[in-house]
């Protein structure tokens, strides 16, 4: 298996951090822009896209600020891969942005960033931040 590389991408978003946090931390919020459907049972979230299902554990969260999901294997054991959504607020301007930390195969980073851009575009439409 190819080694995955970590990348970060930041998106300016016109929204209150509190509202944005609801969309990145709850199954109902995530299912509106991130996946076709999201279910949770305890700390485990199941992300569903078309016929594909991926499971992750909510590894950490800081209310109003960030969430980190660790992908798990079929035995619900953590893998080394995760994605993190971090709300940043500029202290001077109060501008809000969403920092995405994720992993992809080295030759697929550009493609993965494009996918995030599309998903964040959907999120911005939901928030009226277009």
């Amino acid at each position: 298996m190819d080694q995955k590389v970590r990348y970060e991408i930041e998106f300016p978003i016109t929204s209150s951090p509190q509202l944005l946090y609801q969309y990145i931390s709850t199954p109902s919020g995530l299912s509106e822009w991130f996946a076709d459907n999201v279910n949770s049972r305890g700390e485990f979230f199941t992300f569903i896209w078309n016929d594909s299902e991926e499971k992750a554990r909510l590894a950490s969260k800081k209310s109003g600020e960030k969430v980190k999901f660790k992908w798990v294997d079929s035995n619900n054991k953590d893998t080394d891969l995760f994605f993190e959504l971090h709300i940043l607020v500029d202290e001077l301007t109060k501008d809000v942005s969403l920092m995405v930390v994720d992993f992809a195969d080295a030759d697929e980073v550009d493609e993965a960033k494009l996918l995030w851009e599309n998903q964040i575009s959907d999120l911005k439409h939901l928030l009226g931040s277009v």
Side-chain angles (χ1 to χ4, degrees), residues 45-92:
F45 282 60
T46 304
F47 298 93
I48 301 160
W49 295 274
N50 296 328
D51 298 330
S52 132
E53 247 183 50
E54 295 290 333
K55 208 168 181 187
R57 182 176 64 80
L58 181 58
S60 64
K61 70 177 179 178
K62 190 168 183 184
S63 188
E65 216 172 290
K66 68 179 177 180
V67 291
K68 179 178 182 178
F69 292 95
K70 270 198 153 253
W71 296 111
V72 297
D73 62 21
S74 55
N75 298 317
N76 288 342
K77 299 283 182 237
D78 287 359
T79 66
D80 292 336
L81 303 177
F82 66 87
F83 72 96
E84 186 172 275
L85 303 170
H86 193 137
I87 300 169
L88 306 172
V89 180
D90 184 286
E91 284 188 31
L92 290 175

Side-chain angles (χ1 to χ4, degrees), residues 2-3 10 14 16 29 40 47 56 70 87 100-101:
D2 288 338
Q3 189 66 27
E10 186 174 339
T14 309
S16 74
S40 70
F47 298 93
K70 270 198 153 253
I87 300 169
V100 174
V101 178

Side-chain angles (χ1 to χ4, degrees), residues 1 4-5 7 17-18 25 36 38 47 49 70 72 74-75 79 81-82 91-92 94 97 99 111-112 118-120 124:
M1 184 174 94
K4 303 267 187 191
V5 294
Y7 65 91
Q18 297 78 14
S25 63
D36 296 333
V38 180
F47 298 93
W49 295 274
K70 270 198 153 253
V72 297
S74 55
N75 298 317
T79 66
L81 303 177
F82 66 87
E91 284 188 31
L92 290 175
K94 300 299 180 204
S97 58
M99 174 71 76
E111 204 175 292
N118 287 334
Q119 289 175 301
I120 297 298
K124 286 180 174 183

